[in-house]
Amino acid sequence: MSLRFTDTHAHLSDEAFTADAPAAIARAAAAGVDRIIHPDVDSREREAALALCRQYPGVLFHMIGLYPGSVDKDWEKEVAQAEAAIGPQTVALGEIGLDYHWSVEFKEEQKTAFRCQLELAARIGLPVNIHLRDATEDFFKIMEDCRHLGLRGNIHAFSGSYETFVRLQKYGDWKVGIGGVLTYKNSKLAATVKDIPLGSILLETDSPYLPPVPHRGERNEPCYIPIIAARIAEIKGIDIEEVAEVTTASATELFSLDKL
């Protein structure tokens, strides 16, 4: 039986794929990665992403949202444009969240935009795909404030501790996206993944970023998902078939992929 995988986070409309996005999608399919979820960043990149998703119905699925690194004084206009772009094929709001790593100039705007988009997700019944970097405590403060919304979703490119994962579960059955960082020699993520239930893990590449070993220094692609799955299987002492089956089922359920 051939293995099926879902890449829950890949930026295939990024300029890194300008010349060969179709070829990358074909390589993914050949590797068993037959569904790819494309995150949104902001209005400047949205149409290219949506156009690519329209070319591959049933293969590429899109999320809509304002990325925290794109938040500035005009965030309200950007969120309104994101909401207007949501359609029947939108599977989540994302990637949304908080990122204080490069700048805290618009820290307050980030928090307000994040709350606004969480409320929007609850209102329209979509899960959320969250980008979180160097802002853990503010994230959990907002999650506590929004507990009544009954949100569901995942943190993409998860790099937190097992304790952070457990803390996240206070707010429902939340998933974590695991990608190429898991394969890095000095990554502490392996110890965390060992303890996280397989049913709470989603596979992702974050292409073109964060390629797994042995492709570090290269452009990342969805076809590398099986490398990440194999590392999870090794850490947990299970077969890759189980990783493929469980993570695919989790992605299908969270993003309602079987209903599109």
Side-chain angles (χ1 to χ4, degrees):
M1 182 182 69
S2 59
L3 301 181
R4 294 184 63 217
F5 301 97
T6 299
D7 185 345
T8 60
H9 201 106
H11 300 263
L12 290 177
S13 64
D14 187 274
E15 61 182 11
F17 289 100
T18 299
D20 67 340
I25 294 168
R27 284 190 290 272
V33 185
D34 58 2
R35 296 184 304 187
I36 302 167
I37 301 179
H38 198 300
D40 193 23
V41 178
D42 55 40
S43 61
R44 293 169 295 181
E45 300 184 18
R46 184 168 298 128
E47 185 48 44
L50 292 177
L52 187 62
C53 290
R54 285 193 292 267
Q55 290 180 41
Y56 294 91
V59 177
L60 264 60
F61 303 85
H62 61 76
M63 300 184 277
I64 299 291
L66 178 60
Y67 168 69
S70 296
V71 171
D72 58 21
K73 58 182 176 58
D74 294 323
W75 71 266
E76 289 179 279
K77 178 181 177 181
E78 281 283 343
V79 170
Q81 291 176 331
E83 182 175 1
I86 294 170
Q89 303 303 309
T90 305
V91 300
L93 260 64
E95 61 186 285
I96 65 175
L98 301 173
D99 190 329
Y100 301 163
H101 182 75
W102 299 111
S103 172
V104 293
E105 179 182 2
F106 297 105
K107 179 178 178 179
E108 294 306 314
E109 288 87 350
Q110 280 194 39
K111 290 191 288 186
T112 306
F114 183 39
R115 288 176 187 269
C116 181
Q117 291 180 95
L118 290 177
E119 292 169 355
L120 173 60
R123 191 163 67 247
I124 63 180
L126 285 178
V128 292
N129 179 268
I130 291 175
H131 173 107
L132 178 61
R133 191 173 188 188
D134 295 348
T136 300
E137 292 308 314
D138 277 352
F139 166 73
F140 278 114
K141 174 64 167 62
I142 291 172
M143 291 298 292
E144 185 66 31
D145 292 345
C146 295
R147 182 194 286 263
H148 65 286
L149 296 177
L151 296 163
R152 68 192 195 282
N154 77 297
I155 295 183
H156 110 85
F158 184 74
S159 61
S161 64
Y162 178 69
E163 289 71 25
T164 298
F165 168 78
V166 171
R167 190 176 177 186
L168 181 64
Q169 302 313 303
K170 290 171 54 180
Y171 306 102
D173 181 19
W174 281 73
K175 313 296 185 186
V176 293
I178 302 297
V181 172
L182 181 66
T183 68
Y184 297 174
K185 182 178 179 180
N186 296 321
S187 173
K188 299 178 181 179
L189 192 55
T192 302
V193 165
K194 185 175 182 179
D195 291 333
I196 294 176
L198 183 59
S200 296
I201 292 174
L202 301 177
L203 303 178
E204 64 165 74
T205 58
D206 200 15
S207 300
Y209 315 107
L210 302 174
V213 174
H215 299 285
R216 290 197 73 176
E218 303 173 16
R219 180 187 71 180
N220 201 1
E221 292 195 17
C223 66
Y224 298 150
I225 281 284
I227 297 174
I228 300 162
R231 180 63 178 131
I232 292 173
E234 179 184 15
I235 291 168
K236 290 187 169 294
I238 59 179
D239 295 330
I240 192 173
E241 288 82 3
E242 184 176 355
V243 176
E245 180 180 358
V246 174
T247 58
T248 296
S250 293
T252 300
E253 179 182 13
L254 178 61
F255 299 111
S256 301
L257 300 181
D258 58 347
K259 298 179 182 178
L260 298 176

